[in-house]
Amino acid sequence: KEPRAELPSTVAKVLKMKIAADSIGKVIGPGGRQIRALIEDFGLANINVEESGDVQISGFEMGRMEKAREMIKTLTAGGGGGGRGGGRGREPRPEYAGPDAEEGKTYSGKITGIHNFGVFLEILPGAEDGSTPGLEGLCHVSELHIERVRNCEGFIRGMNTETLEVVYLGKNKKGQHQLSRKAVMEERRGNSRGGGGGRRTENKPPAPTPEMSQEEVDVIAKAIENATD
Protein backbone atom coordinates (compact mmCIF):
# COMPACT_ATOMS: atom_id res chain seq x y z
CA LYS A 1 0.00 0.00 0.00
CA GLU A 2 1.12 3.51 -0.73
CA PRO A 3 1.83 5.69 2.32
CA ARG A 4 -1.10 7.84 3.31
CA ALA A 5 -0.72 11.41 2.07
CA GLU A 6 -0.55 14.13 4.71
CA LEU A 7 -3.80 15.95 5.31
CA PRO A 8 -4.07 19.38 3.65
CA SER A 9 -3.32 22.49 5.70
CA THR A 10 -7.01 23.40 5.73
CA VAL A 11 -7.82 20.34 7.88
CA ALA A 12 -7.28 20.57 11.65
CA LYS A 13 -4.90 18.01 13.12
CA VAL A 14 -4.25 16.74 16.65
CA LEU A 15 -0.93 15.67 18.12
CA LYS A 16 -0.90 13.84 21.47
CA MET A 17 1.83 13.52 24.06
CA LYS A 18 2.27 12.74 27.75
CA ILE A 19 4.07 14.78 30.42
CA ALA A 20 4.58 14.23 34.13
CA ALA A 21 1.65 15.54 36.17
CA ASP A 22 3.97 17.62 38.34
CA SER A 23 5.28 19.39 35.21
CA ILE A 24 1.92 20.74 34.10
CA GLY A 25 2.66 24.12 35.67
CA LYS A 26 5.73 24.51 33.44
CA VAL A 27 3.54 24.24 30.35
CA ILE A 28 0.76 26.49 31.64
CA GLY A 29 2.92 29.14 33.31
CA PRO A 30 1.79 31.92 35.70
CA GLY A 31 -1.69 33.06 34.72
CA GLY A 32 -1.55 30.83 31.63
CA ARG A 33 1.08 33.01 29.96
CA GLN A 34 3.33 30.11 28.91
CA ILE A 35 0.61 28.06 27.24
CA ARG A 36 -0.70 31.12 25.39
CA ALA A 37 2.84 31.92 24.27
CA LEU A 38 3.20 28.41 22.83
CA ILE A 39 -0.10 28.70 20.98
CA GLU A 40 0.81 32.12 19.60
CA ASP A 41 4.43 31.43 18.65
CA PHE A 42 3.75 28.16 16.89
CA GLY A 43 0.49 29.26 15.25
CA LEU A 44 -1.56 26.55 16.94
CA ALA A 45 -5.32 26.28 17.31
CA ASN A 46 -5.07 25.20 20.96
CA ILE A 47 -3.19 23.17 23.56
CA ASN A 48 -5.21 21.15 26.06
CA VAL A 49 -3.50 19.83 29.19
CA GLU A 50 -5.31 17.28 31.35
CA GLU A 51 -4.64 16.80 35.06
CA SER A 52 -3.28 13.34 34.19
CA GLY A 53 -0.54 14.92 32.09
CA ASP A 54 -2.11 14.07 28.74
CA VAL A 55 -1.52 16.89 26.25
CA GLN A 56 -3.34 17.51 22.97
CA ILE A 57 -1.79 19.93 20.49
CA SER A 58 -4.19 21.02 17.77
CA GLY A 59 -3.43 23.05 14.67
CA PHE A 60 -3.27 23.02 10.89
CA GLU A 61 0.48 22.66 10.20
CA MET A 62 2.02 19.42 11.45
CA GLY A 63 5.54 20.84 11.26
CA ARG A 64 4.74 23.61 13.73
CA MET A 65 2.85 21.21 15.96
CA GLU A 66 5.88 18.90 16.16
CA LYS A 67 8.12 21.87 17.06
CA ALA A 68 5.66 22.81 19.80
CA ARG A 69 5.80 19.25 21.10
CA GLU A 70 9.60 19.42 21.23
CA MET A 71 9.40 22.74 23.07
CA ILE A 72 7.03 21.23 25.63
CA LYS A 73 9.46 18.34 26.12
CA THR A 74 12.23 20.88 26.75
CA LEU A 75 10.10 22.86 29.23
CA THR A 76 9.04 19.81 31.21
CA ALA A 77 12.55 18.35 31.22
CA GLY A 78 13.83 21.48 32.95
CA GLY A 79 15.84 22.42 29.89
CA GLY A 80 14.92 26.09 30.15
CA GLY A 81 14.35 27.77 26.82
CA GLY A 82 12.98 30.95 28.32
CA GLY A 83 9.41 31.97 28.78
CA ARG A 84 8.60 32.18 25.09
CA GLY A 85 7.69 29.16 23.07
CA GLY A 86 9.14 30.04 19.67
CA GLY A 87 12.73 30.59 20.69
CA ARG A 88 12.89 33.77 18.61
CA GLY A 89 14.79 35.83 21.14
CA ARG A 90 11.85 37.98 22.18
CA GLU A 91 11.89 39.94 25.37
CA PRO A 92 9.96 38.34 28.27
CA ARG A 93 6.45 39.62 28.75
CA PRO A 94 6.01 42.28 31.44
CA GLU A 95 4.50 41.30 34.78
CA TYR A 96 1.39 42.65 36.47
CA ALA A 97 2.33 45.76 38.47
CA GLY A 98 -0.97 46.80 40.10
CA PRO A 99 -2.41 46.28 43.60
CA ASP A 100 -2.74 42.78 45.02
CA ALA A 101 -6.05 40.97 44.90
CA GLU A 102 -7.86 40.50 48.23
CA GLU A 103 -8.46 36.95 49.42
CA GLY A 104 -12.17 36.20 49.84
CA LYS A 105 -13.25 39.13 47.68
CA THR A 106 -15.54 38.64 44.69
CA TYR A 107 -14.33 39.92 41.33
CA SER A 108 -15.87 40.15 37.88
CA GLY A 109 -13.23 38.45 35.77
CA LYS A 110 -12.77 38.74 32.03
CA ILE A 111 -12.29 35.37 30.35
CA THR A 112 -8.86 35.22 28.70
CA GLY A 113 -8.50 31.49 28.07
CA ILE A 114 -10.63 28.34 28.14
CA HIS A 115 -9.07 24.89 28.55
CA ASN A 116 -10.20 21.43 29.64
CA PHE A 117 -8.62 21.97 33.07
CA GLY A 118 -10.26 25.35 33.74
CA VAL A 119 -10.69 28.98 32.76
CA PHE A 120 -8.20 31.85 32.98
CA LEU A 121 -9.68 35.19 33.98
CA GLU A 122 -8.32 38.70 34.35
CA ILE A 123 -9.67 40.02 37.65
CA LEU A 124 -7.69 43.27 37.88
CA PRO A 125 -6.81 45.50 34.92
CA GLY A 126 -3.31 46.29 33.71
CA ALA A 127 -1.87 49.70 32.90
CA GLU A 128 -4.07 51.94 30.77
CA ASP A 129 -1.28 52.37 28.22
CA GLY A 130 -0.94 48.59 27.88
CA SER A 131 2.62 48.54 29.22
CA THR A 132 1.76 45.93 31.87
CA PRO A 133 -0.89 43.18 31.80
CA GLY A 134 -3.77 42.65 34.18
CA LEU A 135 -3.80 40.17 37.05
CA GLU A 136 -4.91 36.76 35.84
CA GLY A 137 -5.89 33.67 37.76
CA LEU A 138 -7.19 30.18 37.08
CA CYS A 139 -10.66 28.99 37.95
CA HIS A 140 -10.11 25.24 37.94
CA VAL A 141 -12.85 23.14 36.34
CA SER A 142 -13.70 21.78 39.83
CA GLU A 143 -14.38 25.37 40.97
CA LEU A 144 -16.68 26.33 38.09
CA HIS A 145 -19.96 25.04 39.47
CA ILE A 146 -21.54 23.36 42.47
CA GLU A 147 -22.25 20.38 40.23
CA ARG A 148 -19.47 18.56 38.40
CA VAL A 149 -18.54 20.05 35.03
CA ARG A 150 -17.46 17.34 32.60
CA ASN A 151 -16.74 19.53 29.57
CA CYS A 152 -15.21 22.84 30.61
CA GLU A 153 -15.00 24.36 27.13
CA GLY A 154 -18.55 23.37 26.21
CA PHE A 155 -19.87 24.60 29.56
CA ILE A 156 -18.30 28.06 29.24
CA ARG A 157 -19.15 28.52 25.57
CA GLY A 158 -22.72 27.48 26.32
CA MET A 159 -22.99 30.31 28.84
CA ASN A 160 -22.28 32.80 26.03
CA THR A 161 -20.51 35.24 28.34
CA GLU A 162 -17.19 37.06 28.41
CA THR A 163 -17.04 37.48 32.19
CA LEU A 164 -17.52 35.36 35.31
CA GLU A 165 -17.96 36.36 38.94
CA VAL A 166 -15.33 34.58 41.01
CA VAL A 167 -13.90 34.67 44.52
CA TYR A 168 -10.14 35.14 44.85
CA LEU A 169 -8.78 32.22 46.88
CA GLY A 170 -5.15 33.35 47.01
CA LYS A 171 -2.04 31.68 45.63
CA ASN A 172 -1.26 27.99 45.60
CA LYS A 173 2.15 26.50 46.48
CA LYS A 174 3.41 27.30 42.98
CA GLY A 175 2.45 30.95 43.29
CA GLN A 176 -0.49 30.68 40.88
CA HIS A 177 -3.59 32.77 41.55
CA GLN A 178 -6.63 30.62 42.27
CA LEU A 179 -10.25 31.60 41.63
CA SER A 180 -13.62 30.02 42.39
CA ARG A 181 -17.00 30.56 40.78
CA LYS A 182 -18.42 27.77 42.92
CA ALA A 183 -17.77 29.83 46.07
CA VAL A 184 -19.90 32.66 44.65
CA MET A 185 -22.74 30.25 43.89
CA GLU A 186 -22.56 28.62 47.33
CA GLU A 187 -22.69 32.00 49.03
CA ARG A 188 -25.73 33.09 47.04
CA ARG A 189 -27.50 29.81 47.68
CA GLY A 190 -26.80 30.19 51.39
CA ASN A 191 -28.20 33.71 51.38
CA SER A 192 -31.35 32.63 49.54
CA ARG A 193 -31.96 30.01 52.24
CA GLY A 194 -31.57 32.58 54.97
CA GLY A 195 -28.12 31.42 56.01
CA GLY A 196 -26.99 34.96 56.66
CA GLY A 197 -23.34 34.04 56.20
CA GLY A 198 -22.71 36.11 53.09
CA ARG A 199 -20.53 39.13 52.54
CA ARG A 200 -22.06 42.49 53.34
CA THR A 201 -25.61 41.38 52.78
CA GLU A 202 -28.30 43.81 53.81
CA ASN A 203 -31.45 42.52 55.51
CA LYS A 204 -34.44 44.75 54.92
CA PRO A 205 -37.45 44.65 57.28
CA PRO A 206 -40.60 43.18 55.73
CA ALA A 207 -43.00 45.73 54.29
CA PRO A 208 -46.12 46.26 56.45
CA THR A 209 -49.32 44.68 55.18
CA PRO A 210 -51.66 47.47 54.02
CA GLU A 211 -55.02 47.62 55.82
CA MET A 212 -58.23 47.37 53.72
CA SER A 213 -60.74 50.15 53.80
CA GLN A 214 -64.32 49.51 55.00
CA GLU A 215 -65.52 49.89 51.40
CA GLU A 216 -63.18 47.08 50.24
CA VAL A 217 -64.36 44.87 53.11
CA ASP A 218 -68.03 45.44 52.13
CA VAL A 219 -67.30 44.59 48.44
CA ILE A 220 -65.61 41.30 49.39
CA ALA A 221 -68.41 40.39 51.82
CA LYS A 222 -71.06 41.04 49.16
CA ALA A 223 -69.16 38.91 46.63
CA ILE A 224 -69.02 36.01 49.11
CA GLU A 225 -72.73 36.39 49.86
CA ASN A 226 -73.64 36.28 46.14
CA ALA A 227 -71.44 33.21 45.64
CA THR A 228 -73.29 31.25 48.35
CA ASP A 229 -76.74 32.07 47.05
Side-chain angles (χ1 to χ4, degrees):
K1 294 182 179 180
E2 294 183 2
R4 186 175 179 180
E6 185 177 339
L7 293 172
S9 59
T10 54
V11 178
K13 307 167 186 65
V14 175
L15 196 61
K16 297 181 179 180
M17 65 181 296
K18 181 86 172 180
I19 63 173
D22 59 1
S23 295
I24 291 175
K26 296 179 181 179
V27 179
I28 297 172
R33 285 193 294 274
Q34 180 63 71
I35 196 169
R36 287 200 298 276
L38 289 166
I39 294 170
E40 176 186 334
D41 284 355
F42 292 105
L44 306 175
N46 200 8
I47 298 176
N48 280 323
V49 184
E50 302 286 353
E51 290 183 302
S52 60
D54 291 313
V55 180
Q56 282 193 351
I57 304 169
S58 56
F60 294 91
E61 296 184 29
M62 184 58 71
R64 290 192 172 193
M65 294 165 61
E66 290 174 346
K67 289 181 179 179
R69 177 174 61 182
E70 292 305 311
M71 186 62 200
I72 291 173
K73 288 181 180 179
T74 301
L75 289 171
T76 54
R84 298 295 292 171
R88 302 175 189 171
R90 298 182 184 177
E91 293 293 326
R93 291 185 175 180
E95 300 289 334
Y96 171 73
D100 293 332
E102 299 178 30
E103 287 192 32
K105 184 176 180 179
T106 300
Y107 293 88
S108 178
K110 179 183 178 182
I111 297 173
T112 58
I114 306 172
H115 302 274
N116 285 345
F117 54 82
V119 183
F120 287 104
L121 301 113
E122 179 183 289
I123 59 173
L124 289 172
E128 292 184 1
D129 60 3
S131 59
T132 57
L135 179 64
E136 291 185 334
L138 173 65
C139 181
H140 190 266
V141 62
S142 62
E143 294 292 335
L144 271 177
H145 199 275
I146 297 172
E147 304 294 336
R148 182 181 178 186
V149 175
R150 298 182 181 275
N151 184 342
C152 180
E153 294 187 58
F155 177 78
I156 294 298
R157 298 193 191 286
M159 293 176 67
N160 193 28
T161 182
E162 296 181 353
T163 61
L164 294 176
E165 284 195 0
V166 291
V167 171
Y168 179 63
L169 302 178
K171 295 181 180 180
N172 59 17
K173 294 180 180 179
K174 297 180 180 180
Q176 299 167 332
H177 299 284
Q178 296 180 301
L179 310 171
S180 174
R181 178 174 177 266
K182 180 169 71 173
V184 177
M185 300 178 68
E186 288 175 339
E187 178 187 348
R188 289 179 177 173
R189 185 164 69 171
N191 290 342
S192 65
R193 292 177 178 177
R199 302 178 184 88
R200 300 176 186 175
T201 54
E202 181 177 295
N203 295 321
K204 297 182 179 180
T209 304
E211 295 184 2
M212 290 188 295
S213 65
Q214 185 60 43
E215 182 179 356
E216 290 174 321
V217 173
D218 293 341
V219 170
I220 294 173
K222 186 174 183 180
I224 294 173
E225 182 181 349
N226 292 338
T228 56
D229 288 343

